[in-house]
């Protein structure tokens, strides 16, 4: 009797060990099936990125942030040193890709380095805009960076008016972001004042534009559905 009880106890322990070992795999299998279903539902959304867009990091990231609800944080002081460190890689990337003329980049880097204060705001999910200036009504520079370090916007007035070619800037910025591979990129209808040079890709769902107007320059990229683009 004692032998039988011991054997039953050993069998029970063994079954418990097997159950504890297999349960995590069962849980992962169920979770994976749920994730697959969720991905399928997302892919069925008519606004979801196509294959080319999903393979591009910038298109994928900006599409993701477009789906999130944004909690707006308006213009408030931010530590200057932190802001300078955050935008430094962006300025370096702009110079490496020759997006802006050298005199614009020189002036932008000097302004950021010598700025006496910086304000930040966030009107789009996942992105923060840093505003640098040295004096009231003087030159200023605003840089918008996502949480993953993608430069999605740059604008300002640096006291310069010559040398900024909107078309060349837009093309260089497009190359810097890795968007040249989209074969459906098309020149868009210029909107607003100045000399805007916009382009759009339905595959990437990205609208990119560079502009110069009376000394104010801007470069930006925005995630946008084909329906929204058609309504511009």
């Amino acid at each position: 009797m004692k032998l039988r009880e011991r054997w039953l106890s050993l069998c029970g322990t063994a079954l418990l060990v097997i159950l504890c070992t297999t349960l995590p795999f069962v849980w992962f299998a169920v979770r994976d099936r749920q994730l697959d279903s969720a991905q399928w539902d997302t892919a069925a959304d008519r606004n979801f990125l196509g294959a080319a867009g999903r393979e591009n990091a910038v298109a994928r990231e900006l599409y993701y942030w477009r789906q999130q609800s944004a909690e707006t944080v308006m213009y408030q002081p931010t530590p200057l040193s932190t802001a300078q460190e955050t935008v430094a890689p962006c300025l370096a990337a702009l110079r490496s890709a020759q997006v802006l003329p050298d005199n614009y980049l020189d002036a932008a880097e000097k302004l950021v380095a010598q700025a006496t204060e910086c304000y930040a705001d966030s009107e789009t999910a996942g992105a923060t805009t840093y505003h640098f200036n040295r004096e009231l009504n003087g030159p200023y520079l605003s840089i918008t960076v996502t949480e993953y370090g993608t430069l999605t916007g740059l604008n300002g007035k640096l006291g310069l008016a010559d040398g900024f070619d909107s078309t060349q800037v837009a093309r260089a910025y497009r190359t810097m972001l890795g968007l040249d591979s989209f074969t459906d990129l098309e020149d868009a209808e210029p909107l607003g004042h100045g000399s805007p040079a916009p382009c759009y890709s339905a595959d990437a769902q990205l609208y990119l534009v560079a502009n110069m107007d009376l000394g104010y320059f801007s470069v930006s990229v925005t995630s946008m559905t084909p329906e929204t683009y058609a309504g511009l």
Side-chain angles (χ1 to χ4, degrees), residues 104 122 161-162 176 200 213:
Y104 278 78
S122 176
D162 298 327
M176 180 187 117
Y200 181 75
D213 182 27

PDB file of all heavy atoms in Angstrom, residues 104 122 161-162 176 200 213:
ATOM      1  N   TYR A 104      23.223  78.374 -44.151  1.00  0.00           N
ATOM      2  CA  TYR A 104      22.042  78.151 -43.306  1.00  0.00           C
ATOM      3  C   TYR A 104      22.385  77.217 -42.146  1.00  0.00           C
ATOM      4  O   TYR A 104      21.977  77.459 -40.995  1.00  0.00           O
ATOM      5  CB  TYR A 104      20.899  77.555 -44.132  1.00  0.00           C
ATOM      6  CG  TYR A 104      20.117  78.585 -44.901  1.00  0.00           C
ATOM      7  CD1 TYR A 104      20.614  79.118 -46.086  1.00  0.00           C
ATOM      8  CD2 TYR A 104      18.886  79.046 -44.447  1.00  0.00           C
ATOM      9  CE1 TYR A 104      19.902  80.072 -46.800  1.00  0.00           C
ATOM     10  CE2 TYR A 104      18.166  80.003 -45.151  1.00  0.00           C
ATOM     11  CZ  TYR A 104      18.687  80.513 -46.327  1.00  0.00           C
ATOM     12  OH  TYR A 104      17.973  81.467 -47.023  1.00  0.00           O
ATOM     13  N   SER A 122       4.379  70.100 -27.865  1.00  0.00           N
ATOM     14  CA  SER A 122       4.059  68.830 -28.521  1.00  0.00           C
ATOM     15  C   SER A 122       2.595  68.843 -28.916  1.00  0.00           C
ATOM     16  O   SER A 122       1.715  68.754 -28.065  1.00  0.00           O
ATOM     17  CB  SER A 122       4.340  67.659 -27.578  1.00  0.00           C
ATOM     18  OG  SER A 122       3.952  66.444 -28.165  1.00  0.00           O
ATOM     19  N   ALA A 161      18.439  85.090 -46.871  1.00  0.00           N
ATOM     20  CA  ALA A 161      17.372  85.029 -47.877  1.00  0.00           C
ATOM     21  C   ALA A 161      17.825  84.358 -49.160  1.00  0.00           C
ATOM     22  O   ALA A 161      16.996  83.902 -49.948  1.00  0.00           O
ATOM     23  CB  ALA A 161      16.863  86.441 -48.180  1.00  0.00           C
ATOM     24  N   ASP A 162      19.120  84.307 -49.399  1.00  0.00           N
ATOM     25  CA  ASP A 162      19.627  83.754 -50.664  1.00  0.00           C
ATOM     26  C   ASP A 162      20.155  82.336 -50.473  1.00  0.00           C
ATOM     27  O   ASP A 162      20.589  81.956 -49.383  1.00  0.00           O
ATOM     28  CB  ASP A 162      20.763  84.647 -51.213  1.00  0.00           C
ATOM     29  CG  ASP A 162      20.279  86.059 -51.524  1.00  0.00           C
ATOM     30  OD1 ASP A 162      19.112  86.191 -51.927  1.00  0.00           O
ATOM     31  OD2 ASP A 162      21.068  87.010 -51.342  1.00  0.00           O
ATOM     32  N   MET A 176      17.673  62.043 -47.258  1.00  0.00           N
ATOM     33  CA  MET A 176      18.117  61.886 -45.874  1.00  0.00           C
ATOM     34  C   MET A 176      17.176  60.968 -45.104  1.00  0.00           C
ATOM     35  O   MET A 176      17.614  60.157 -44.287  1.00  0.00           O
ATOM     36  CB  MET A 176      18.167  63.258 -45.204  1.00  0.00           C
ATOM     37  CG  MET A 176      18.614  63.234 -43.747  1.00  0.00           C
ATOM     38  SD  MET A 176      18.445  64.857 -42.968  1.00  0.00           S
ATOM     39  CE  MET A 176      17.252  64.486 -41.706  1.00  0.00           C
ATOM     40  N   TYR A 200       4.433  63.872 -52.746  1.00  0.00           N
ATOM     41  CA  TYR A 200       3.615  62.924 -51.995  1.00  0.00           C
ATOM     42  C   TYR A 200       3.825  61.512 -52.519  1.00  0.00           C
ATOM     43  O   TYR A 200       3.998  61.294 -53.717  1.00  0.00           O
ATOM     44  CB  TYR A 200       2.130  63.287 -52.097  1.00  0.00           C
ATOM     45  CG  TYR A 200       1.237  62.351 -51.306  1.00  0.00           C
ATOM     46  CD1 TYR A 200       1.169  62.432 -49.916  1.00  0.00           C
ATOM     47  CD2 TYR A 200       0.483  61.361 -51.940  1.00  0.00           C
ATOM     48  CE1 TYR A 200       0.372  61.563 -49.181  1.00  0.00           C
ATOM     49  CE2 TYR A 200      -0.323  60.494 -51.208  1.00  0.00           C
ATOM     50  CZ  TYR A 200      -0.374  60.609 -49.827  1.00  0.00           C
ATOM     51  OH  TYR A 200      -1.147  59.746 -49.095  1.00  0.00           O
ATOM     52  N   ASP A 213       9.832  81.752 -47.804  1.00  0.00           N
ATOM     53  CA  ASP A 213       8.912  82.859 -48.004  1.00  0.00           C
ATOM     54  C   ASP A 213       9.372  84.053 -47.180  1.00  0.00           C
ATOM     55  O   ASP A 213       9.288  84.039 -45.947  1.00  0.00           O
ATOM     56  CB  ASP A 213       7.494  82.440 -47.585  1.00  0.00           C
ATOM     57  CG  ASP A 213       6.478  83.548 -47.822  1.00  0.00           C
ATOM     58  OD1 ASP A 213       6.701  84.387 -48.717  1.00  0.00           O
ATOM     59  OD2 ASP A 213       5.455  83.568 -47.108  1.00  0.00           O
TER      60      ASP A 213
END
